[in-house]
Amino acid sequence: MEGILMPLEQKSSNIWLTEHLSAGETYQYLISKIITQQTSDYQDICIVELENKSKALILNNKLQPTTFDEHMYFEPFVHIPFIHFKEPESILILGAGEGAIAREVLKWKSVKKINIVERDKLIVDSCSKYLPEINKGSFKNSKVKIFYKDVNSFISQDDNKYDVIFYNLQDPLLEEKNKINFNKKLLLDCKSLLNKNGLMCLQMGDSPIKKNELFIEKIKLMKSIFRSTKIYSSWIPSICKNLSFVLMNKDKLIESMPFNDVDMILQRQLLDELIFVNAKTFIGLMNPPKYIQEYDEVG
Amino acid sequence: MEGILMPLEQKSSNIWLTEHLSAGETYQYLISKIITQQTSDYQDICIVELENKSKALILNNKLQPTTFDEHMYFEPFVHIPFIHFKEPESILILGAGEGAIAREVLKWKSVKKINIVERDKLIVDSCSKYLPEINKGSFKNSKVKIFYKDVNSFISQDDNKYDVIFYNLQDPLLEEKNKINFNKKLLLDCKSLLNKNGLMCLQMGDSPIKKNELFIEKIKLMKSIFRSTKIYSSWIPSICKNLSFVLMNKDKLIESMPFNDVDMILQRQLLDELIFVNAKTFIGLMNPPKYIQEYDEVG
């Protein structure tokens, strides 16, 4: 990475980073400025400015949602489970990321405590310093506590209880090769940390439009441990993907909610305006295309 | 185009076509086989096989939705207006395309007559011959009549009446440069061809996530002529876009419909199974993200 991105600042850039969406598709984006570029014990961390003036984090050569559209990722990730839970108080975030999950969580009046587990202190420090537009200082909020520990060992030892757990690490499909985090033990540990009707939510990568066996296998695993699951998705233009989220409830069925109830919850809870989610959006996301519905029906 | 795509068949291809999504983003896809490549009086028409074995039409170097995912485009395009109209009988399609709109229209029991207007006979002939997977012979169905004429002059002279009109030409935003088809006169002519509560539906290109003045201007134009409009969108992976559709009703408000009513309409009407749309999907598409809702509220 350091070799490719050498010129730290130049007026007219011609640095195109290429991502391989599949064997027959690539996506390239122009980097106009490299803001910081560091290597931690765990990953390459690069923060850049893109041609459209948005800023973005690049982890191990993978572009993350940018300041142009990160709300299309983080708002559905956080607010859909929160609407379902209604009055979330105690939250666990596995993987600090840019700090945007904590930022969205802090928009809810009922939230009292946020624990973040992150093994890589450098990502928190870099994003705090170079991506304040995204985290809005959330890492320093008094409700937030960051534990610099390995996620799997943290959750097997933690004795707190949570209403909602966000799994914000590399998506389980990509992890398949090195099997680092996402497995049956992790799901069981998370479940044991949840309060009654507690929810876990994770991101599962691009929504597969053709039957995807690995995706189905992961959904089946989640269903075997949690009482119910619900898949929804959001299209993120900057990374050319329709990302899917899986919501899991420990004790009860995840059911549709009437528009007026959702609207009332949001009105009562929100301390700050949202750009992407409102009651209508909630209804929309809970009613996905048929091929997504079918993943909900496996197993 | 002919120069670039010369090798008509080769075992291991390295032909990558590049599309510029924006000044700072490109999307490249690998073409494994060129099936046909012709130039008509109006456009370059190329039908190819892609690396993932799907087949696709390329018009003037622009990839159209492929056999891998075209249902994610054509199903919402056709079935959303049809559900709203309930019992469509007489249909006008402006622009023949691959024949997929006619194919979807023919899935509805109530449909009696489909007129297609297309100035370019070569696209109908090429797609009939080389993309039967997409059109399923719809151009030859006895309910279908193709008029090889200029769209604007056809609609100003036609004395038929229609329940639903599909505008399947280049999207109005791309047309801005050469102002060929989409203007006030076209909308007025279409409106005058519609039966009571008749609907017109068109595709408006990538859904702009930041306020887009040209997009707003077009919506305002449609609102000034039709009684109501409704925007919905569908993510099409093969072209990396979340395409937006605008539905217009001549006489009444386009309102939400209860799940059970939609489900009953589909059960009564459909002669063939759908992959993407069902009653749930309809509810989902009618409740888009907040930024899409806001385009509906302009003017």
Side-chain angles (χ1 to χ4, degrees):
Chain A
M1 188 99 172
E2 280 185 29
I4 303 164
L5 295 179
M6 242 178 340
L8 274 171
E9 246 190 82
Q10 54 180 36
K11 279 279 177 287
S12 163
S13 169
N14 199 18
I15 302 172
W16 287 85
L17 270 202
T18 300
E19 290 198 23
H20 296 272
L21 302 178
S22 73
E25 292 162 293
T26 70
Y27 170 61
Q28 295 188 304
Y29 48 92
L30 185 56
I31 290 173
S32 55
K33 192 162 135 187
I34 293 156
I35 296 164
T36 183
Q37 193 182 359
Q38 290 170 284
T39 303
S40 74
D41 290 346
Y42 306 102
Q43 55 202 340
D44 287 318
I45 299 168
C46 188
I47 293 171
V48 300
E49 187 186 281
L50 300 176
E51 186 274 339
N52 67 359
K53 301 292 173 207
S54 68
K55 282 167 75 179
L57 175 66
I58 299 176
L59 288 178
N60 292 337
N61 293 314
K62 286 273 178 203
L63 183 67
Q64 310 300 307
T66 75
T67 54
F68 180 70
D69 60 5
E70 50 88 5
H71 58 283
M72 300 171 81
Y73 176 72
F74 292 110
E75 286 197 19
F77 197 174
V78 170
H79 303 300
I80 299 308
F82 273 20
I83 291 166
H84 279 286
F85 197 83
K86 296 185 185 72
E87 299 215 331
E89 295 187 4
S90 142
I91 313 303
L92 177 63
I93 302 172
L94 307 177
E98 305 90 330
I101 295 189
R103 177 198 72 201
E104 291 302 317
V105 165
L106 284 164
K107 288 181 181 168
W108 282 60
K109 216 176 275 179
S110 60
V111 166
K112 290 181 181 154
K113 187 178 81 172
I114 305 168
N115 284 349
I116 299 177
V117 192
E118 174 59 61
R119 61 179 179 178
D120 192 353
K121 191 167 182 301
L122 191 61
I123 196 166
V124 174
D125 293 343
S126 293
C127 291
S128 293
K129 187 166 176 189
Y130 298 109
L131 279 176
E133 302 90 336
I134 294 188
N135 55 64
K136 310 266 189 203
S138 63
F139 289 137
K140 293 193 175 63
N141 189 288
S142 62
K143 292 177 183 172
V144 172
K145 198 166 172 189
I146 308 178
F147 298 85
Y148 292 108
K149 291 187 174 168
D150 172 75
V151 161
N152 296 62
S153 66
F154 179 92
I155 56 169
S156 67
Q157 289 157 22
D158 189 18
D159 49 15
N160 291 287
K161 287 277 178 182
Y162 304 96
D163 295 329
V164 182
I165 299 176
F166 295 98
Y167 182 88
N168 186 37
L169 302 163
Q170 198 181 36
D171 81 64
L173 304 184
L174 292 176
E175 281 183 6
E176 192 59 10
K177 287 173 206 159
N178 36 12
K179 299 205 191 269
I180 36 175
N181 286 108
F182 189 87
N183 52 39
K184 189 168 178 176
K185 182 166 184 324
L186 174 123
L187 288 170
L188 285 168
D189 284 343
C190 285
K191 186 182 172 188
S192 74
L193 295 179
L194 284 171
N195 287 322
K196 192 170 177 228
N197 297 329
L199 294 155
M200 178 171 179
C201 191
L202 61 81
Q203 188 258 106
M204 280 271 284
D206 211 3
S207 312
I209 76 161
K210 304 284 171 184
K211 282 269 164 291
N212 179 310
E213 285 310 321
L214 185 55
F215 196 90
I216 291 173
E217 190 189 294
K218 298 289 173 193
I219 300 289
K220 281 185 176 169
L221 177 63
M222 291 181 246
K223 285 195 169 199
S224 73
I225 292 165
F226 284 80
R227 171 73 176 85
S228 68
T229 63
K230 176 79 195 166
I231 305 171
Y232 59 102
S233 63
S234 179
W235 166 74
I236 318 293
S238 67
I239 58 170
C240 276
K241 280 178 184 150
N242 192 39
L243 291 180
S244 55
F245 301 92
V246 188
L247 183 59
M248 293 160 263
N249 192 304
K250 186 168 77 93
D251 302 304
K252 64 171 189 179
L253 272 178
I254 300 170
E255 284 174 311
S256 178
M257 286 164 68
F259 175 89
N260 287 339
D261 292 5
V262 177
D263 200 41
M264 220 165 60
I265 292 169
L266 290 173
Q267 280 189 39
R268 203 171 47 216
Q269 281 283 353
L270 287 177
L271 298 167
D272 206 344
E273 219 189 337
L274 306 185
I275 304 169
F276 186 84
V277 171
N278 61 13
K280 241 179 187 301
T281 314
F282 176 87
I283 305 293
L285 293 176
M286 290 298 100
N287 290 281
K290 203 177 160 195
Y291 71 98
I292 303 263
Q293 294 166 34
E294 283 163 3
Y295 283 112
D296 257 336
E297 288 152 17
V298 300
Chain B
M1 187 101 173
E2 278 186 29
I4 304 165
L5 295 179
M6 242 181 336
L8 273 171
E9 246 190 84
Q10 54 180 36
K11 279 282 178 285
S12 163
S13 170
N14 199 19
I15 302 173
W16 287 85
L17 270 203
T18 300
E19 290 198 23
H20 297 271
L21 302 178
S22 73
E25 292 162 293
T26 70
Y27 170 61
Q28 296 189 304
Y29 47 91
L30 184 58
I31 290 174
S32 56
K33 191 161 136 188
I34 293 155
I35 296 164
T36 182
Q37 192 182 0
Q38 290 170 286
T39 303
S40 75
D41 290 345
Y42 307 102
Q43 55 203 340
D44 287 318
I45 299 168
C46 189
I47 293 171
V48 300
E49 186 186 281
L50 301 175
E51 186 275 339
N52 67 359
K53 300 291 173 211
S54 68
K55 281 169 75 179
L57 175 65
I58 298 176
L59 289 178
N60 292 337
N61 293 313
K62 287 271 177 204
L63 183 67
Q64 310 300 307
T66 73
T67 53
F68 180 69
D69 60 5
E70 49 88 4
H71 59 284
M72 299 171 82
Y73 177 72
F74 292 111
E75 285 197 18
F77 196 174
V78 170
H79 304 300
I80 300 307
F82 273 20
I83 290 167
H84 278 287
F85 197 84
K86 297 185 183 72
E87 299 215 333
E89 295 188 4
S90 142
I91 313 302
L92 177 62
I93 302 172
L94 307 177
E98 304 89 330
I101 294 188
R103 177 199 71 200
E104 292 301 318
V105 165
L106 284 164
K107 289 182 181 168
W108 281 61
K109 216 176 275 181
S110 60
V111 167
K112 290 180 181 154
K113 187 179 80 172
I114 305 169
N115 284 350
I116 299 176
V117 192
E118 172 60 61
R119 62 178 180 179
D120 192 353
K121 191 168 183 299
L122 191 60
I123 195 165
V124 174
D125 293 344
S126 293
C127 291
S128 292
K129 187 165 175 189
Y130 298 109
L131 279 176
E133 303 90 338
I134 294 189
N135 55 65
K136 310 265 188 204
S138 62
F139 289 136
K140 294 195 174 61
N141 189 287
S142 62
K143 292 177 184 172
V144 172
K145 199 166 171 187
I146 307 179
F147 298 85
Y148 292 107
K149 289 188 175 167
D150 172 75
V151 161
N152 296 62
S153 66
F154 179 91
I155 57 169
S156 67
Q157 290 157 21
D158 189 18
D159 50 15
N160 291 287
K161 289 277 178 181
Y162 304 97
D163 295 328
V164 182
I165 299 176
F166 294 98
Y167 182 89
N168 186 36
L169 302 164
Q170 199 181 33
D171 81 65
L173 304 184
L174 291 176
E175 282 182 7
E176 193 58 10
K177 288 173 205 159
N178 34 13
K179 300 205 189 271
I180 35 175
N181 285 108
F182 189 85
N183 52 38
K184 190 168 177 176
K185 183 168 184 322
L186 174 123
L187 288 170
L188 285 167
D189 283 343
C190 285
K191 187 181 171 188
S192 74
L193 294 180
L194 285 171
N195 288 322
K196 193 172 176 224
N197 298 328
L199 293 155
M200 177 171 180
C201 191
L202 62 81
Q203 188 258 105
M204 279 271 284
D206 211 1
S207 311
I209 74 160
K210 306 283 171 184
K211 283 269 165 290
N212 180 310
E213 285 310 321
L214 185 57
F215 195 90
I216 291 173
E217 191 190 294
K218 298 288 174 194
I219 300 289
K220 281 184 176 169
L221 176 64
M222 292 182 244
K223 285 194 169 200
S224 73
I225 291 165
F226 284 80
R227 170 75 176 85
S228 68
T229 62
K230 176 80 195 165
I231 305 171
Y232 58 102
S233 63
S234 179
W235 166 75
I236 318 295
S238 67
I239 57 171
C240 277
K241 281 178 183 149
N242 192 37
L243 290 180
S244 55
F245 302 91
V246 189
L247 184 59
M248 292 161 264
N249 192 304
K250 185 167 78 93
D251 301 304
K252 64 171 190 180
L253 273 178
I254 301 169
E255 284 175 311
S256 177
M257 286 166 67
F259 175 89
N260 286 339
D261 291 7
V262 178
D263 199 43
M264 220 165 61
I265 292 170
L266 290 174
Q267 281 187 38
R268 204 172 46 217
Q269 280 284 354
L270 287 178
L271 298 167
D272 206 344
E273 218 189 339
L274 306 185
I275 304 169
F276 186 83
V277 171
N278 61 12
K280 241 180 188 297
T281 314
F282 175 87
I283 304 292
L285 292 175
M286 290 297 101
N287 290 280
K290 204 177 160 195
Y291 72 99
I292 303 263
Q293 295 166 33
E294 282 162 3
Y295 283 112
D296 256 336
E297 287 152 16
V298 300

